[in-house]
Amino acid sequence: MVEIDNLDVVVNGSASIHHVKFILTLSLQIPALILSFLIFLFFITNQVHLRKLQNQALLVLFIVNFIQLSSNISLLVHFLRLNRISPATGTYCKFWVYLESTLDASNAFLAAVISIQRHTLVFQPNILRIRLKRYIFYYSPLCFAFCYPAIFYLGAVIFYHCDDSQWNFELNMCGDTICYLSNNQILATYDWIVNTALPIIIIIFANATLIIRVIEQKHRRQQTISWSKQRRMTLQLLSISSLYLVTWIPSIVSGLMQQVNATTSLYDIQENYISDLTYLICLLLPWMCIGLVPDFKKWLLKQFHRIKRPHNTIGGIS
């Protein structure tokens, strides 16, 4: 009887947590989707901004982010609303795991690539004026950041043999029990190091060195460096990177702690709270565009005033 009562408490507690997460996620998703549409409309109607390489990379990042908002976050909202997986099938679980894993990794790799490329844009922009070098050093890494996770998880999740009994239809993303995580330690370790930890390490190192280089360049060759422009580009990148660091580092640290000393309480904290922090990336990234692309803010205010401005009517003279 006591065990049944304890089970009811756990179930009710989980339902309450999911209800709160549902409200918070939906309240962030809808404005983020609207703002994403406005971002795309801005670039469509102001294509001159796409000639800037840094804006091209940001647009690719926003496209991946929009896919996350419209697909993966929608699956999350659907789960939180029902408090269970529906449809409760292994095929659905594989699709969700593939979608979230691919988009998370693509998002992180894109941020890492942009962090590295910003060094070239700031200190050696002339290199990218040559078409061949621009394709090799700029467009190819962006393409890799998008294509590699899709191909890797196609083999690791979709085509990997899996026992459907491993899925937990009461947990987010079916318990995240990807078959290779429990059956193939080598592949699981590679995934954690390369696809999760490595992009965050690159983001930290690239941004730290960028700040140091910008400061050194300012003092050494201030007469040839437009400090205001470089400062703006640096702050733009740091604002994005800080979002990735704040959301991913707790997951990486908790993952390391699980490897050293796995406990049920730590797993519950990671499952119910820490792992959900990564959703904040795609939910908050569109709002950063207001500061990342200064002209977008001006354009947005202009559209707002145009809608708000009353139409003057001229009455007939009798």
Side-chain angles (χ1 to χ4, degrees):
M1 188 67 180
V2 175
E3 293 181 356
I4 295 177
D5 292 339
N6 291 336
L7 180 61
D8 291 338
V9 170
V10 172
V11 173
N12 292 333
S14 177
S16 299
I17 293 174
H18 289 164
H19 181 68
V20 172
K21 288 182 180 180
F22 168 77
I23 295 175
L24 291 175
T25 304
L26 191 62
S27 63
L28 291 174
Q29 181 195 26
I30 294 176
L33 284 171
I34 295 174
L35 191 56
S36 295
F37 278 116
L38 292 174
I39 293 171
F40 296 141
L41 183 61
F42 166 76
F43 280 114
I44 291 173
T45 57
N46 300 270
Q47 295 190 13
V48 64
H49 294 285
L50 287 180
R51 297 174 185 175
K52 300 178 180 179
L53 290 178
Q54 63 266 27
N55 287 343
Q56 294 176 13
L58 287 178
L59 182 59
V60 174
L61 182 62
F62 286 135
I63 291 174
V64 173
N65 197 76
F66 176 76
I67 296 174
Q68 284 186 288
L69 279 172
S70 57
S71 59
N72 188 51
I73 296 298
S74 295
L75 295 180
L76 173 65
V77 169
H78 178 63
F79 163 75
L80 295 174
R81 181 177 65 88
L82 298 178
N83 196 35
R84 56 183 172 81
I85 299 294
S86 178
T89 64
T91 302
Y92 180 82
C93 289
K94 274 198 170 188
F95 170 75
W96 191 358
V97 169
Y98 173 75
L99 182 69
E100 180 162 326
S101 300
T102 299
L103 293 175
D104 280 348
S106 296
N107 211 317
F109 273 113
L110 280 171
V113 168
I114 292 173
S115 298
I116 296 174
Q117 290 178 340
R118 192 53 57 96
H119 284 258
T120 304
L121 290 172
V122 171
F123 299 105
Q124 295 175 309
N126 292 332
I127 293 179
L128 299 178
R129 292 178 181 176
I130 302 174
R131 178 176 296 182
L132 179 60
K133 292 184 178 181
R134 187 163 62 247
Y135 277 100
I136 294 175
F137 298 112
Y138 194 81
Y139 295 122
S140 294
L142 292 174
C143 182
F144 170 82
F146 181 80
C147 295
Y148 160 72
I151 296 173
F152 173 82
Y153 288 110
L154 187 66
V157 176
I158 301 298
F159 293 124
Y160 197 94
H161 177 71
C162 182
D163 183 2
D164 287 350
S165 63
Q166 294 186 64
W167 304 112
N168 188 330
F169 301 118
E170 304 299 324
L171 296 178
N172 178 27
M173 212 167 65
C174 306
D176 199 15
T177 311
I178 310 174
C179 297
Y180 73 84
L181 286 179
S182 56
N183 299 338
N184 193 324
Q185 187 63 37
I186 296 177
L187 190 58
T189 303
Y190 170 87
D191 179 37
W192 189 86
I193 294 176
V194 175
N195 299 333
T196 300
L198 181 60
I200 305 304
I201 294 174
I202 292 176
I203 291 173
I204 294 174
F205 180 77
N207 282 277
T209 54
L210 180 64
I211 295 174
I212 295 173
R213 292 184 68 185
V214 167
I215 294 175
E216 289 181 348
Q217 198 82 326
K218 176 179 179 292
H219 290 293
R220 290 180 181 178
R221 297 190 298 170
Q222 188 172 3
Q223 69 279 9
T224 61
I225 296 295
S226 175
W227 170 242
S228 60
K229 179 181 178 181
Q230 311 313 330
R231 180 179 60 184
R232 183 174 65 251
M233 294 177 66
T234 304
L235 291 177
Q236 288 175 356
L237 181 59
L238 289 178
S239 62
I240 292 181
S241 302
S242 62
L243 180 60
Y244 285 84
L245 299 181
V246 169
T247 54
W248 271 109
I249 286 181
S251 295
I252 294 176
V253 172
S254 63
L256 285 173
M257 294 175 64
Q258 285 280 55
Q259 296 294 326
V260 175
N261 183 23
T263 62
T264 303
S265 58
L266 180 59
Y267 174 80
D268 291 338
I269 294 174
Q270 183 177 7
E271 177 68 27
N272 292 322
Y273 303 103
I274 295 179
S275 61
D276 291 337
L277 290 175
T278 56
Y279 292 123
L280 291 175
I281 294 176
C282 62
L283 291 170
L284 298 180
L285 189 60
W287 293 98
M288 288 191 169
C289 183
I290 297 177
L292 295 175
V293 185
D295 291 329
F296 172 69
K297 182 179 179 180
K298 298 176 183 178
W299 177 85
L300 196 60
L301 291 174
K302 182 179 179 180
Q303 303 305 314
F304 177 77
H305 289 306
R306 181 179 298 177
I307 297 174
K308 187 178 180 180
R309 184 185 305 158
H311 296 283
N312 296 325
T313 57
I314 301 176
I317 300 175
S318 55

